[in-house]
Amino acid sequence: MAKQIKVIKCPNCGSVQKTEIKPEHYLCDNCNTEYILDNDDINVNIKYQNKTVKNYFDESNKKILIIIICTIIFIVVLISIISVSFNSKPSYHQEINTPPRQTKTSSINTPISPSVEQQNSLQSVNYNYCSLEIVDNKPYVISIVKREYSKSFQTKSKYYFVVHDLLANKIIQEQELDKLKQDSSSFNNIDLDYYDFSKDKTYLIVKKSIVFLLDKKNFTLTDVTSSLLNNYPQYNTGIASANITIAQGSPERAFHILTDDGKKIYYYPLHDKAYIDDNDFYMQKKDFGVPKDTSEHTTFDFAKKYDDNFKLIKFTYISPDGENHYSIISAKVGDNNPDGPGKFTDAESAYYFYNVQSVHPGYKLVSHQNLTPNRLYFNPKIVYANDNTLVIKTKTSASPDSHYNYQQLDTNSGKVIWTLSEDKIKIKEMTPYNDGFITKNKCGEYVMIGSDGTITQKITLAKEK
């Protein structure tokens, strides 16, 4: 009988994959079944041998494998999130800074260019000086700041002269002050003294040896250490030390300078006058033609404490420099009146004046009155006063735990116009602006107050947050 060609399949699983053990004796590669081919009738004799095959994908192993895979995925995702967060978050300096400008004098519209420090991390800002100025009916903050930058675990300090546009809340000008270095004896501030000699001239003395002239209207800060005494070459040998003071016999502020060659002089910048500090100086009258200001000025002050009784006194005066030099002393009924014969006969009028500059004939007390004779005050202070405006602070009661209230008073009647609690605002200085005020909490924080005493805006200076 002729043989026919047929495909030999495993009788157990049907697979054609097999291994020939010996002639016509096979082992299935799929299920390990042995089978024999019978040539006569093409029968297949099966010898099934169930060999145990290790299954790596049984149910228990599947669970373990899934847990391992999920753990690995979670770790990878977590690392990716952390990495993206650190790379995408701007540094503190990037969040609060705009590129500074490296020029000493420029207009307020000059663009600011980047500095090297802004590529580093700004760690802290410390104000050494600040002044709120109104120029062309716009408020600006002029300041000297120390900024600390950190790079590669090292800290570096830099000092800057900075001008902020307060309403726009942005820096419009800044200038690095190379001469100012951190004093090893001071952690936060440099030794700085200053005085407004006039509306246009403010002098600053740093470390008692470096003198700057600040022009608040044009936003310029100029080092005048070497040029201050240009018109006095006999004294212009260098400044060993300087401070701002009032010399005996003179009502005006002056520089008291020790030159490098040991001379002591007084220098009056508004008059460009220099005098040797010796006995002859005190015999001279340094009034430079005063009195100058003969106009009347009105101001307010609390009479000094006497038996826990505070009196709010409104008074009008004339002084050569236009500034108030009067101090008010409380008295009680029956005290002798130091200003003339007789005694104080009523509590409302029991006070008198003392003028530290009374030796000068240009000073005159024009009028005075107890503005609120029937009101009790508890630890009061004058916050702001001019000819037509008065803001005070006073505790709400005699309790030492009571808080302060700020109040604007009518300058004619003494009535309260508005009240603000110190819980809402802390005022260090205030400046009239439009119908309200701009108040300074600290150099970097300002508050706008409306005419009715409502807080309309709080401003934290940009870049110095």
Side-chain angles (χ1 to χ4, degrees), residues 229-447:
L229 300 173
N230 270 353
N231 292 333
Y232 297 89
Q234 67 273 32
Y235 306 138
N236 197 20
T237 58
I239 296 177
S241 67
N243 65 290
I244 300 169
T245 186
I246 296 178
Q248 182 178 340
S250 173
E252 295 190 54
R253 298 272 180 154
F255 286 101
H256 194 211
I257 298 173
L258 174 65
T259 64
D260 280 342
D261 60 355
K263 293 185 179 70
K264 293 181 180 179
I265 65 169
Y266 287 103
Y267 176 70
Y268 293 82
L270 292 185
H271 311 281
D272 192 20
K273 299 289 185 180
Y275 301 89
I276 286 286
D277 177 14
D278 57 18
N279 291 332
D280 291 338
F281 172 82
Y282 298 113
M283 301 303 293
Q284 301 179 51
K285 200 170 187 178
K286 300 295 176 293
D287 55 18
F288 305 108
V290 292
K292 305 165 192 170
D293 188 348
T294 58
S295 58
E296 294 184 359
H297 299 281
T298 300
T299 192
F300 308 82
D301 203 358
F302 284 98
K304 289 186 177 178
K305 186 174 182 180
Y306 189 96
D307 291 337
D308 296 324
N309 181 22
F310 288 92
K311 299 179 178 69
L312 177 57
I313 310 301
K314 172 183 178 180
F315 59 98
T316 302
Y317 65 91
I318 296 174
S319 71
D321 59 2
E323 297 182 3
N324 170 42
H325 297 283
Y326 288 95
S327 179
I328 310 160
I329 311 299
S330 286
K332 63 181 179 180
V333 175
D335 283 349
N336 288 321
N337 192 334
D339 296 329
K343 297 182 178 182
F344 294 106
T345 58
D346 63 275
E348 178 181 342
S349 301
Y351 58 88
Y352 63 95
F353 287 81
Y354 171 73
N355 181 10
V356 295
Q357 302 287 353
S358 59
V359 295
H360 197 287
Y363 294 92
K364 180 181 179 181
L365 184 63
V366 178
S367 64
H368 56 89
Q369 72 174 101
N370 188 340
L371 187 62
T372 55
N374 299 317
R375 178 174 174 177
L376 289 176
Y377 293 97
F378 305 101
N379 197 26
K381 295 178 176 62
I382 301 293
V383 177
Y384 179 82
N386 63 18
D387 289 350
N388 304 302
T389 307
L390 173 62
V391 178
I392 68 168
K393 65 181 293 189
T394 180
K395 284 196 168 186
T396 56
S397 72
S399 170
D401 297 328
S402 63
H403 69 271
Y404 278 99
N405 277 341
Y406 298 97
Q407 294 182 330
Q408 182 177 5
L409 305 184
D410 185 285
T411 57
N412 294 315
S413 66
K415 291 182 179 180
V416 177
I417 298 175
W418 53 256
T419 299
L420 266 176
S421 171
E422 196 177 43
D423 295 338
K424 295 182 178 180
I425 183 175
K426 293 183 183 297
I427 300 175
K428 186 175 181 181
E429 296 177 11
M430 66 190 315
T431 301
Y433 182 66
N434 292 339
D435 295 330
F437 298 90
I438 301 175
T439 71
K440 178 173 74 175
N441 180 17
K442 54 185 180 180
C443 279
E445 296 180 4
Y446 298 83
V447 176

Side-chain angles (χ1 to χ4, degrees), residues 442-459:
K442 54 185 180 180
C443 279
E445 296 180 4
Y446 298 83
V447 176
M448 311 289 289
I449 299 178
S451 59
D452 58 353
T454 57
I455 296 175
T456 59
Q457 186 178 4
K458 293 185 178 181
I459 303 172

